[in-house]
Amino acid sequence: MQVIANGINIEVEDHGKPGNPAILLVMGYTAQLIYWPLDFVNGLVDKGFRVITFDNRDVGLSYKFDGVQPPHPIRQMVAKRFFPKRQMAPYNLSDMARDAVGVLDALKIDQAHVVGASMGGMIGQLIAADHADRVLSFTPIMSSTNGPGLPGANAEVRKVLMQTARAKARTPDEALELGLAFSSLIASEEGRSRPEERRAMMKLAQERAFYPAGPKRQMAAIIDTGNLRPVANRINVPTMVIHGADDPLIPSVCGKDIAANVKGARFELVQGMGHDLPPSKLPEMVDLIAAHCGAG
């Protein structure tokens, strides 16, 4: 269903009983709401939660900022080193955090547990810090503060990521092959062993909404937002950080940095998990999050 959130159309799916405690799932860079595994969503519903998923702006069925040009990512990163407060992107992650809070407003949900994956965990830090009255607990998964000195992805992953961000409009088939190559680089060993499942999911996402312009603006939003450590320092809600031990895109030390900068946060390292949500790890993650949300 479509709702108006923060002044734009956002596509939302609502799972579970309306009266149950709400968990808002915030997806990552370029990823549509369908990338939340159904076993994960249904697992949380079975634990007694109402689970809300949505497409971030510029992906899926949510609002597209057509014709709004982002800066070149390399030039933007260089400029941000010298002018860190200069806004160069069409929007930043704070705007996307307001979208997420707007989803809660549209569904008349006063407070929710917030779970964010990758970029969604960055957005979640801003939700938890700037909209604390709406947040019962916070769980970032495979995310980072993007603080200075933290390690980044390895060279091969960075190369493909920049190609994706800079790429001009391409055919769905070309985009599919690039996406598969990138997902293979960052996935767990289990994820790499399921290439047909990854291909089927990407095909489904393309059939739902093929929009290669969106990733460029989302990447610009991440770069423009910059260091989130000062944001993490302001978080006062119960926080549990989950990270894969084998993540080659956002190394686990980045997740540890979130936990180190949020007062009272705990850190959970999941063995055998890369920058993905491998099926065999979903029951463990559901149990961790359900227990954390129950305590929160």
Side-chain angles (χ1 to χ4, degrees), residues 98-252:
R98 285 189 285 272
D99 294 347
V101 174
V103 168
L104 298 180
D105 291 339
L107 298 178
K108 295 181 169 50
I109 297 172
D110 291 332
Q111 292 182 305
H113 302 279
V114 175
V115 176
S118 195
M119 180 187 75
M122 300 170 197
I123 295 169
Q125 290 173 64
L126 287 154
I127 300 171
D130 295 339
H131 308 274
D133 60 319
R134 309 300 297 276
V135 180
L136 294 169
S137 74
F138 175 43
T139 304
I141 303 170
M142 52 189 176
S143 193
S144 178
T145 63
N146 296 325
L150 288 175
N154 64 44
E156 188 176 9
V157 171
R158 281 201 308 272
K159 179 181 176 181
V160 177
L161 184 62
M162 285 296 106
Q163 285 175 346
T164 302
R166 295 198 307 265
K168 296 180 180 179
R170 55 170 63 85
T171 67
D173 286 344
E174 289 174 336
L176 178 65
E177 294 309 316
L178 182 60
L180 286 168
F182 183 65
S183 70
S184 180
L185 283 176
I186 65 174
S188 60
E189 183 176 346
E190 179 182 347
R192 289 192 297 273
S193 72
R194 299 169 176 261
E196 292 310 311
E197 291 181 19
R198 287 188 289 111
R199 179 180 290 273
M201 176 56 73
M202 289 186 184
K203 285 287 288 183
L204 180 62
Q206 283 190 344
E207 291 167 3
R208 187 171 179 265
F210 177 62
Y211 189 66
K216 302 172 190 177
R217 289 187 288 268
Q218 288 195 349
M219 177 59 72
I222 295 171
I223 297 169
D224 231 35
T225 304
N227 178 17
L228 288 166
R229 279 179 184 152
V231 175
N233 290 161
R234 293 191 284 109
I235 296 174
N236 288 309
V237 301
T239 299
M240 174 181 65
V241 181
I242 298 176
H243 215 107
D246 303 330
D247 192 332
L249 177 63
I250 302 179
S252 60

Side-chain angles (χ1 to χ4, degrees), residues 14-88:
D14 192 348
H15 309 261
K17 296 178 181 178
N20 286 349
I23 296 179
L24 181 70
L25 300 183
V26 188
M27 207 5 121
Y29 171 65
T30 79
Q32 301 181 36
L33 63 83
I34 60 174
Y35 277 91
W36 288 111
L38 280 177
D39 285 349
F40 180 73
V41 173
N42 291 335
L44 291 171
V45 169
D46 291 343
K47 294 284 188 179
F49 294 96
R50 176 186 183 183
V51 180
I52 312 300
T53 61
F54 67 99
D55 286 328
N56 284 310
R57 56 171 65 192
D58 263 333
V59 300
L61 304 181
S62 288
Y63 183 83
K64 313 295 193 305
F65 286 74
D66 285 328
V68 182
Q69 287 296 116
H72 186 285
I74 302 299
R75 288 196 291 269
Q76 184 187 8
M77 284 189 286
V78 171
K80 292 294 284 187
R81 289 181 183 177
F82 297 99
F83 307 101
K85 294 185 178 180
R86 179 182 174 187
Q87 183 163 339
M88 302 176 65

Side-chain angles (χ1 to χ4, degrees), residues 98 153 230 245 280 284:
R98 285 189 285 272
S280 71
E284 176 184 355

